[in-house]
Amino acid sequence: SSDDLTEIENYTVSRFAKPNEDYFGIAEGKNIIKIHLESFQSFLIDYELNGEEVTPFLNSLAAGAEDMTYFDNFFHQTGQGKTADAELMLDTGLFGLPQGSAFVTKAQNTYQSLPAILNQERGHESAVLHGDYKSFWNRDTMYKQLGIDQFFDASYYDMSEENTVNLGLKDKPFFEESIPMLQSLETPFYAHLISLTNHYPFNLGPEDATIERATTGDNTVDNYFQTARYLDEALEQFFADLKASGLYEDSVIMIYGDHNGISENHNRAMAEILGTEITPHQNAQNQRVPLLIRVPGMEGGVNHTYGGEIDVMATLLHLQGINAKPYVQFGTDLFSEEHDEIVSFRSGDYITPAYTSVNGVLYDTETGEILEPTEKTTEIQEKVDQQLDYSDRVLYEDLLRFHAIDGFEPIEPTDYHYGNPNK
Ligand code: GP9
Ligand code: MN
């Protein structure tokens, strides 16, 4: 009911983290190029396999090249919806559901999404680019609900057999063929490129493999390094192409890993890879995924702030000089002094700079030592439960229907069409 909305709105307003003055509006009117690194975990950054860097290009970015800011304590917060949950969090500031995927079951809801806000407040044209067909994961329906202007799906790409592996289009042709599509957008634009090759089962033909497989004997883990390297090379070429096309200079570039690629079923092999036993505490640490942001005019470097996918929307809004406060969303700006460093996992587990909680067992985040609960940690757990519960209620009760925001026009899904005119 609208009373529920009022309660939740009071909560999001009270939790609002006010923008950092140094960065508020620093990217106003700039393009945003958002790059989704499929199944990419942060342990790959600076990891050496047989003395060789796996992802040399991403490593250079993580070290501050191209003025990138690298968040090395950033976590995915996805549930069963995986990719779709990551997309949902980044574009709405709402958590995925405890079961199933909101992209499938809540694709008729009302949303007040990042692409729509950017469009209305700053004139951004929004686009998603991805090498699978549009109905996969119900994207075509959900994207209309999110107000995404253009959806360049597989029908816009060369999907010939030599161009595809795992779930769809290979990353190299994907990024290469995406350049003219980006150039066709009105500026400023908000473009979301979703990579695909680094996806389970991480197959890659010998013609594309430029690093040896690992040798743990676990196929999934052993393959993972080859597809991660392939993605790294695709990305390096994409940066070069963005520069050559003139799109690079005036764009915010944001890169993120959507979720883990290696599940707990592979703990034995992962222990060998990381040289440490995969305890529940260690497994929680392994849910780090990279977040890198390059903002023209902002100096790069490593930022150790704890945060997660839910925080990206508020961060991007503030960089554009749009106050996140009126929106019912559950993240806080990563650059804000008041940013909340409690990272809620979808399971109700959590991680903070001091504590890691898994299945009700409390650990010291730094050392992994088991700790006794305190008043403080009970309070953190309550906050985590509250946040997830409120977010779920927004989705289950479709509460944003009742949420009027001054100056924000509700999204009209029938205004959006994704047919490829050339097909
Ligand atoms: C589907 C792709 C993968 O197009 O984005 O989804 P996932 O299996 O990672 O949820
Ligand atoms: Mn995914």
Side-chain angles (χ1 to χ4, degrees):
S1 71
S2 59
D3 286 350
D4 291 347
L5 175 68
T6 305
E7 181 187 341
I8 293 170
E9 209 179 349
N10 289 339
Y11 165 85
T12 57
V13 166
S14 72
R15 237 183 116 248
F16 175 69
K18 69 168 189 293
N20 182 324
E21 279 175 29
D22 294 341
Y23 302 129
F24 189 72
I26 190 174
E28 185 166 333
K30 305 236 180 275
N31 301 325
I32 302 171
I33 300 175
K34 189 171 91 174
I35 304 169
H36 170 119
L37 303 181
E38 181 56 45
S39 302
F40 195 102
Q41 293 176 238
S42 296
F43 83 84
L44 288 164
I45 300 289
D46 289 333
Y47 187 80
E48 291 189 7
L49 188 65
N50 305 316
E52 203 187 334
E53 288 179 84
V54 178
T55 58
F57 183 65
L58 278 159
N59 296 350
S60 72
L61 297 182
E66 307 289 351
D67 281 331
M68 281 283 174
T69 297
Y70 172 48
F71 287 88
D72 63 349
N73 290 311
F74 183 80
F75 293 81
H76 85 83
Q77 297 166 289
T78 63
Q80 291 173 349
K82 304 282 267 187
T83 290
D85 283 358
E87 291 191 53
L88 180 80
M89 281 186 276
L90 266 70
D91 271 351
T92 68
L94 302 173
F95 285 92
L97 293 171
Q99 271 103 37
S101 159
F103 259 51
V104 176
T105 63
K106 299 296 164 200
Q108 310 302 332
N109 276 21
T110 295
Y111 294 97
Q112 292 162 344
S113 70
L114 180 61
I117 298 164
L118 289 172
N119 179 263
Q120 294 186 28
E121 295 284 332
R122 294 289 179 266
H124 285 80
E125 177 172 27
S126 58
V128 175
L129 301 90
H130 182 54
D132 272 324
Y133 291 94
K134 63 183 177 184
S135 61
F136 197 42
W137 275 102
N138 206 30
R139 281 186 169 110
D140 53 349
T141 304
M142 186 62 175
Y143 285 174
K144 291 174 184 173
Q145 225 68 17
L146 296 177
I148 288 167
D149 294 310
Q150 303 251 27
F151 182 14
F152 297 102
D153 76 335
S155 72
Y156 288 81
Y157 293 87
D158 172 3
M159 296 293 285
S160 60
E161 203 185 318
E162 77 259 21
N163 265 9
T164 54
V165 72
N166 298 324
L167 279 191
L169 184 60
K170 288 183 192 172
D171 294 340
K172 285 186 184 177
F174 168 64
F175 282 114
E176 196 185 318
E177 293 177 41
S178 294
I179 293 282
M181 298 173 203
L182 294 177
Q183 285 174 310
S184 76
L185 298 172
E186 303 236 4
T187 55
F189 60 75
Y190 169 55
H192 180 196
L193 294 101
I194 306 178
S195 73
L196 201 48
T197 307
N198 190 49
H199 191 285
Y200 180 83
F202 311 107
N203 288 332
L204 198 68
E207 69 284 4
D208 290 316
T210 59
I211 187 169
E212 292 293 317
R213 301 167 78 245
T215 54
T216 66
D218 178 323
N219 244 319
T220 301
V221 173
D222 292 351
N223 284 351
Y224 188 55
F225 298 91
Q226 289 194 326
T227 48
R229 163 65 74 81
Y230 176 80
L231 172 55
D232 189 66
E233 290 175 350
L235 196 65
E236 182 169 24
Q237 184 61 48
F238 183 58
F239 269 62
D241 292 346
L242 281 176
K243 286 179 184 174
S245 69
L247 289 170
Y248 183 82
E249 207 48 50
D250 227 22
S251 299
V252 170
I253 299 183
M254 196 192 93
I255 302 174
Y256 71 100
D258 65 336
H259 52 73
N260 61 323
I262 308 295
S263 73
E264 280 196 280
N265 298 332
H266 306 279
N267 280 354
R268 186 207 51 80
M270 277 301 281
E272 197 177 317
I273 292 295
L274 296 180
T276 183
E277 196 195 334
I278 312 299
T279 59
H281 165 267
Q282 182 61 41
N283 184 59
Q285 310 309 314
N286 291 355
Q287 305 314 306
R288 283 179 171 79
V289 292
L291 176 70
L292 299 128
I293 306 182
R294 177 251 183 193
V295 181
M298 192 195 284
E299 209 180 308
V302 182
N303 185 318
H304 301 302
T305 301
Y306 275 64
E309 289 168 329
I310 204 74
D311 300 315
V312 169
M313 176 165 160
T315 306
L316 290 178
L317 284 173
H318 287 174
L319 289 173
Q320 288 288 333
I322 303 166
N323 196 316
K325 197 172 186 174
Y327 302 100
V328 171
Q329 57 83 31
F330 292 88
T332 58
D333 178 356
L334 290 161
F335 291 112
S336 167
E337 309 265 318
E338 298 172 358
H339 166 72
D340 185 354
E341 288 197 292
I342 302 171
V343 181
S344 304
F345 292 120
R346 182 57 261 191
S347 58
D349 294 344
Y350 66 81
I351 194 158
T352 77
Y355 309 107
T356 297
S357 174
V358 183
N359 274 328
V361 182
L362 200 65
Y363 305 85
D364 183 312
T365 291
E366 203 83 6
T367 66
E369 183 194 342
I370 293 184
L371 303 173
E372 285 304 317
T374 60
E375 223 170 280
K376 168 104 193 140
T377 63
T378 307
E379 201 180 289
I380 294 172
Q381 185 67 63
E382 280 166 9
K383 284 186 179 168
V384 168
D385 296 343
Q386 173 96 92
Q387 184 187 31
L388 291 167
D389 179 57
Y390 277 154
S391 176
D392 293 346
R393 280 163 62 183
V394 170
L395 287 178
Y396 286 132
E397 298 173 41
D398 192 9
L399 291 180
L400 296 179
R401 291 176 285 163
F402 306 118
H403 192 230
I405 304 171
D406 265 354
F408 182 82
E409 286 288 320
I411 298 165
E412 195 46 72
T414 52
D415 289 349
Y416 301 86
H417 307 279
Y418 301 139
N420 182 347
N422 302 315
K423 294 271 151 118

